[in-house]
Amino acid sequence: MAALTRVVARQRAELDRLQDLAAASAVLERAKGAVMAQTGCSPEAAQEELQRRAKAGRRTVLEQCWLTLGALAAPGGTGSRSVPADTAPDRAPSTPPADAEALGRLAQALLRVGGPQDLARCLLERLAPDVGADAVMIFVRLPTGGLELVGHAGIDDTLAGQWHRVPPLTGIAALDTLDAGQPRWLEDPARDRKRYLLIGDPPERWPSCAWLPVATGQSTDVAIGIFRHRAGRFSARERELLLAVARLCAGPLRTFGPRQDDPAVGEAADAVQTVFDRLPVAAVLLTPIRGAAGHVEDFRIDAATAGTSDAVGRSGRELIGLRFLECWPAAAGDPLWQGCLAALAEGHPYESEPFARQQVVAGVSELSTYSARVARLGDGLVVSWVRHDPSDRQEQRLADVQRLGNLGWANWNLVTGEVNWSSQVFTILDRDPAQGAVSLARLPGLALPEDMPTLARAMGALVRHGLPCDVPFRIVTRQGVRHLRAVAEAVPDAHGTPVEVHGFVQDLTAQRSAELALVATERAILTQHGVLQAERTVANRLQEALLPLPKQPVRLAGLRVDIAYLPAQSGLNVGGDWFSAIQLPEGDALFVVGDVAGHGMDAVAAMALLRFTAKGMIITGSSLTGALTRLNALLLHSRDPHGTATMILARYSPGERRLKWAQAGHPPPLLLRDGEARYLTRPLGMLLGASDTPSYAEAECRLEPGDRLVLYTDGLVERPSESIDRGLERLARAAAQRGPSGPAPLDQLLGALLEPERRDDVCVLDIRVPGDDEEPEHR
């Protein structure tokens, strides 16, 4: 609410600025037209004349425009004295700059004034800091000689009502100033009460007062009263300023239209407000305020009932002359605003849906529920609000519950046969209300044939024995089959015989559809679970056959080999990673580590093909690079021609402690020697299955006593959020760390590197060369 108010305030400020520009332009054009009519000059010459007069009188152009408009004589009128614009008194050369600025600000503020009431408020606001004004009253002379109060500010409604109409009596200061055409300065209450009837209760309420005549050139004149709580005389500067203000107000007073000119209009407006004062509802009479383009930008409140209050607690006559969006800024974003515009444009009444609004009642802010109605009246609108009492709100809540719960209540009188349904029951049963409600005996006939017997038995037991029922059934509608639920109970008479049945019907179609979808999903999940379980079982068996994990370190060709295999998928012990560590017939050792892209049974099949084929090729005499070339061709012509794999083949000769190795797109082995870790330089070798013309090369490395060589798959070093280079650095640091008894064993190394949740399999061969003081390992 506060945020919306700030937005509306910013928009209102910008709109006011644009309106001021448009209004100033309109005032200038009207004043130019007046000068043209008086002198017969061109528009350009008229503007130059206005600028000349403004410069000569030390005024702003806007002030001069107001003075020019205020000095126009009414066509054929016999009004009071009128001062031609070109003879209006100039500002004295000694006029203080502050007063000149005050008059300039007032001329600008007069652009927003829409009537005498607005003018009174504007004058009070502008004159309070300059002359100490505490109240303003504006009287217009009626043809009968009396006065009518057309605007006031700073006085209460009671006093305004007492002085609303003043007969043509002697001793009235406002009449005296109009008759004499001179201001009256009432600065001594003891002396002034002997001559005039003072305004105020008590009269000493305003010890000093000024009455200023304003000649508008119309058939009646205007007197403006400025009242002060401060005692003492008006200074010469204050008198000069007030006289200039009176002259400046003549222009806007003349443009207000017939309110002050035609007493019939004033009487009609007063009669309208009198009617509104007696209305028991909250209502306002609105007049549209249009912009330069003719669009409605706001509404002015011309009458308001006593029961109407705005967002800050102002009520009744206090709202007259204010703008609609000023009183209810939140309405700018409500359907009510659009309803007002539509009713004004099309003439059709608008009725809103119930809405909640925070109102100030008896000084206390409370949230209430209202409905609004807008009706066109002439060129304006009447907006009324109806506050819903608790019973209305209860009925609305019941309707909301039925709508949200998709249910409706029903009542059957078993004695009279009377049946009552809520509108929601007709909607649920897809039945035209014109067909009327259905009796209990005919209700089962609405159900599907399969559900009719069950529903009929439940209704029979309810009517004959008073047994409550809660029974599901289905019906056919234009939208298809609906799943419904009927819940009812019987009301017995003094003898226990059911005489009335009440209950509700609920549409459970959406719930039932969700239940059926849930059952189907559960079945699919169970089926998929069975498939996964079967796959795990097959994989476990494949693991035992294809990739048996030794429980102890393997000893080959004088080396100690620790092996680790960790699948990424929990419960699936074989993926796309594999290893081989065997002793060849010549006494050499063969080490293989590979990684097939993907997981599942396809990856397992490709892994088995490559693992056994690689060993077979090396055993039968193939070189390392020759084996990789043939494995590449084999993978290209396999069941999945798009499958790829990486691999390291390493052959160790114990006599020379020489390691020959080749790779196909695989991470390099890590060598630890004398506490330092480094990666072996990879020979040429591309991914298996990536090309039908691959190139592979061998590399050679001599191992020393105490060396440690780690072969691994990329799952050990890769993480989704970082590059593989950081993973390689992390592995080198962890492997180089030494404990009290030497390098960390393989299980500690894995614990330091692996995250709890992994996306890839991990396979590691940890190969160690015994030191000179250690016994060589033999198989």
Side-chain angles (χ1 to χ4, degrees):
M1 179 69 177
L4 180 59
T5 302
R6 289 194 295 271
V7 170
V8 172
R10 289 196 297 270
Q11 294 176 341
R12 171 58 57 197
E14 178 62 16
L15 180 61
D16 287 344
R17 186 184 70 82
L18 296 176
Q19 287 177 333
D20 287 349
L21 292 176
S25 177
V27 170
L28 176 61
E29 293 301 319
R30 292 178 62 186
K32 286 166 56 179
V35 174
M36 291 168 61
Q38 291 171 347
T39 64
C41 64
S42 66
E44 293 77 10
Q47 182 160 349
E48 292 177 358
E49 176 64 16
L50 287 172
Q51 292 173 344
R52 184 192 66 76
R53 294 178 184 179
K55 183 177 180 181
R58 293 182 173 84
R59 309 182 186 94
T60 65
V61 174
L62 186 58
E63 288 180 72
Q64 185 62 49
C65 290
W66 283 126
L67 291 172
T68 300
L69 293 175
L72 291 177
T78 60
S80 304
R81 61 195 66 203
S82 176
V83 181
D86 56 350
T87 63
D90 298 338
R91 288 183 186 164
S94 60
T95 300
D99 291 351
E101 292 178 4
L103 290 172
R105 290 194 301 269
L106 177 60
Q108 189 70 26
L110 292 177
L111 295 172
R112 302 186 186 182
V113 170
Q117 188 68 25
D118 286 349
L119 178 61
R121 294 192 185 97
C122 178
L123 290 177
L124 180 59
E125 178 183 353
R126 299 295 172 178
L127 296 179
D130 293 315
V131 299
D134 296 299
V136 174
M137 298 178 75
I138 301 177
F139 284 101
V140 62
R141 180 160 25 203
L142 300 174
T144 58
L147 298 175
E148 178 186 3
L149 180 65
V150 294
H152 62 84
I155 67 172
D156 53 57
D157 290 341
T158 301
L159 186 61
Q162 293 172 351
W163 286 86
H164 179 62
R165 288 293 178 88
V166 180
L169 303 175
T170 58
I172 304 298
L175 279 172
D176 187 26
T177 193
L178 291 178
D179 291 337
Q182 298 293 328
R184 292 292 181 257
W185 311 98
L186 280 62
E187 301 163 324
D188 185 349
R191 183 190 64 189
D192 295 334
R193 70 162 51 95
K194 297 177 182 179
R195 182 178 180 186
Y196 299 116
L197 179 61
L198 300 181
I199 297 177
D201 186 14
E204 294 79 10
R205 179 179 179 182
W206 291 298
S208 58
C209 167
W211 285 101
L212 311 170
V214 181
T216 65
Q218 300 297 320
S219 58
T220 57
D221 288 334
V222 178
I224 299 177
I226 308 298
F227 299 84
R228 303 193 302 185
H229 292 311
R230 188 179 70 199
R233 298 177 59 83
F234 288 90
S235 66
R237 184 193 69 81
E238 291 173 338
R239 293 191 179 197
E240 182 65 28
L241 176 60
L242 289 176
L243 290 174
V245 167
R247 290 192 296 271
L248 199 59
C249 289
L253 281 168
R254 191 179 188 282
T255 64
F256 290 154
R259 171 63 192 254
Q260 69 271 23
D261 304 328
D262 186 356
V265 174
E267 292 174 0
D270 186 61
V272 170
Q273 181 56 50
T274 302
V275 171
F276 269 65
D277 287 338
R278 288 164 172 76
L279 292 177
V281 299
V284 291
L285 176 64
L286 303 179
T287 296
I289 299 175
R290 301 182 183 272
H295 301 300
V296 176
E297 299 175 343
D298 206 337
F299 291 90
R300 185 182 67 247
I301 301 175
D302 290 340
T305 63
T308 306
S309 61
D310 68 355
V312 297
R314 293 172 294 196
S315 62
R317 290 177 177 262
E318 295 177 329
L319 302 175
I320 297 176
L322 301 179
R323 294 185 177 186
F324 185 76
L325 292 181
E326 176 186 351
C327 298
W328 297 280
D334 287 350
L336 176 60
W337 176 256
Q338 298 301 325
C340 289
L341 298 180
L344 183 65
E346 302 170 7
H348 303 301
Y350 165 78
E351 293 188 11
S352 74
E353 296 292 331
F355 61 91
R357 171 162 293 173
Q358 200 81 23
Q359 293 290 101
V360 178
V361 180
V364 179
S365 179
E366 62 179 31
L367 187 66
S368 302
T369 303
Y370 292 86
S371 291
R373 189 176 191 277
V374 182
R376 184 169 175 174
L377 181 64
D379 294 331
L381 296 175
V382 175
V383 181
S384 59
W385 291 270
V386 176
R387 183 181 179 185
H388 297 285
D389 60 27
S391 61
D392 294 334
R393 292 198 295 271
Q394 190 69 21
E395 184 176 345
Q396 182 62 39
R397 292 190 187 108
L398 178 59
D400 292 339
V401 168
Q402 292 186 86
R403 176 177 52 82
L404 295 174
N406 209 359
L407 56 84
W409 59 264
N411 186 80
W412 290 271
N413 190 311
L414 303 181
V415 178
T416 64
E418 182 182 0
V419 181
N420 290 312
W421 284 0
S422 69
S423 59
Q424 193 69 16
V425 175
F426 288 97
T427 301
I428 292 172
L429 296 177
D430 195 25
R431 184 175 177 85
D432 187 353
Q435 295 179 296
V438 174
S439 65
L440 275 178
R442 294 173 52 202
L443 185 63
L446 302 179
L448 288 178
E450 306 94 285
D451 298 338
M452 287 177 58
T454 303
L455 185 58
R457 284 195 298 270
M459 294 298 104
L462 175 67
V463 173
R464 290 190 295 272
H465 308 294
L467 297 178
C469 69
D470 186 344
V471 58
F473 65 99
R474 294 166 296 172
I475 64 171
V476 177
T477 68
R478 287 169 292 182
Q479 291 77 31
V481 176
R482 286 184 181 173
H483 296 262
L484 307 182
R485 173 194 180 199
V487 179
E489 64 179 4
V491 179
D493 60 10
H495 305 289
T497 303
V499 295
E500 185 176 319
V501 171
H502 57 249
F504 65 85
V505 178
Q506 185 175 16
D507 187 352
L508 301 177
T509 304
Q511 179 181 338
R512 182 59 177 161
S513 299
E515 291 173 354
L516 293 175
L518 180 60
V519 170
T521 302
E522 290 177 347
R523 289 175 179 172
I525 292 174
L526 291 174
T527 301
Q528 184 65 21
H529 178 75
V531 172
L532 292 176
Q533 190 63 37
E535 185 172 321
R536 290 192 182 99
T537 301
V538 173
N540 286 333
R541 293 177 181 175
L542 283 175
Q543 191 273 338
E544 296 174 0
L546 301 179
L547 202 63
L549 289 174
K551 298 181 180 180
Q552 299 293 333
V554 177
R555 293 169 174 81
L556 299 172
L559 303 174
R560 171 188 169 124
V561 184
D562 289 288
I563 301 172
Y565 176 76
L566 302 171
Q569 292 176 288
S570 176
L572 186 60
N573 292 331
V574 175
D577 292 15
W578 84 91
F579 67 90
S580 288
I582 62 173
Q583 188 158 329
L584 299 175
E586 308 92 285
D588 292 356
L590 176 66
F591 302 106
V592 185
V593 172
D595 183 3
V596 173
H599 294 89
M601 298 306 299
D602 290 340
V604 171
M607 176 272 291
L609 176 66
L610 295 176
R611 182 173 186 266
F612 289 107
T613 304
K615 289 194 299 183
M617 288 181 179
I618 300 301
I619 290 174
T620 56
S622 292
S623 65
L624 301 180
T625 56
L628 289 175
T629 301
R630 292 179 178 83
L631 291 172
N632 179 76
L634 181 64
L635 195 58
L636 284 173
H637 296 86
S638 65
R639 184 177 63 179
D640 182 9
H642 302 292
T644 59
T646 66
M647 181 186 294
I648 280 186
L649 290 174
R651 182 167 185 161
Y652 176 72
S653 301
E656 304 170 350
R657 291 203 296 272
R658 185 177 69 250
L659 179 76
K660 289 185 178 181
W661 65 287
Q663 62 87 29
H666 202 84
L670 178 66
L671 176 64
L672 281 86
R673 178 176 291 169
D674 299 330
E676 295 184 1
R678 69 179 179 88
Y679 289 99
L680 301 183
T681 303
R682 292 198 309 172
L684 181 66
M686 65 190 308
L687 198 71
L688 296 178
S691 172
D692 55 359
T693 57
S695 297
Y696 299 102
E698 290 184 358
E700 185 175 314
C701 173
R702 179 179 174 82
L703 299 182
E704 301 293 341
D707 283 355
R708 182 181 184 184
L709 187 70
V710 181
L711 307 181
Y712 54 91
T713 56
D714 57 6
L716 184 65
V717 293
E718 279 189 341
R719 291 183 182 177
S721 60
E722 63 185 22
S723 68
I724 193 172
D725 292 336
R726 294 188 61 182
L728 293 173
E729 294 173 1
R730 185 168 50 249
L731 171 59
R733 287 195 304 269
Q737 292 180 354
R738 298 177 62 87
S741 58
L746 180 57
D747 56 349
Q748 293 185 13
L749 180 63
L750 296 177
L753 292 172
L754 298 180
E755 295 180 316
E757 297 293 333
R758 301 185 310 279
R759 297 188 179 184
D760 202 358
D761 304 332
V762 174
C763 181
V764 181
L765 295 184
D766 185 6
I767 304 169
R768 302 194 187 205
V769 182
D772 292 333
D773 55 346
E774 297 180 68
E775 255 185 67
E777 300 283 355
H778 297 286
R779 189 176 178 184

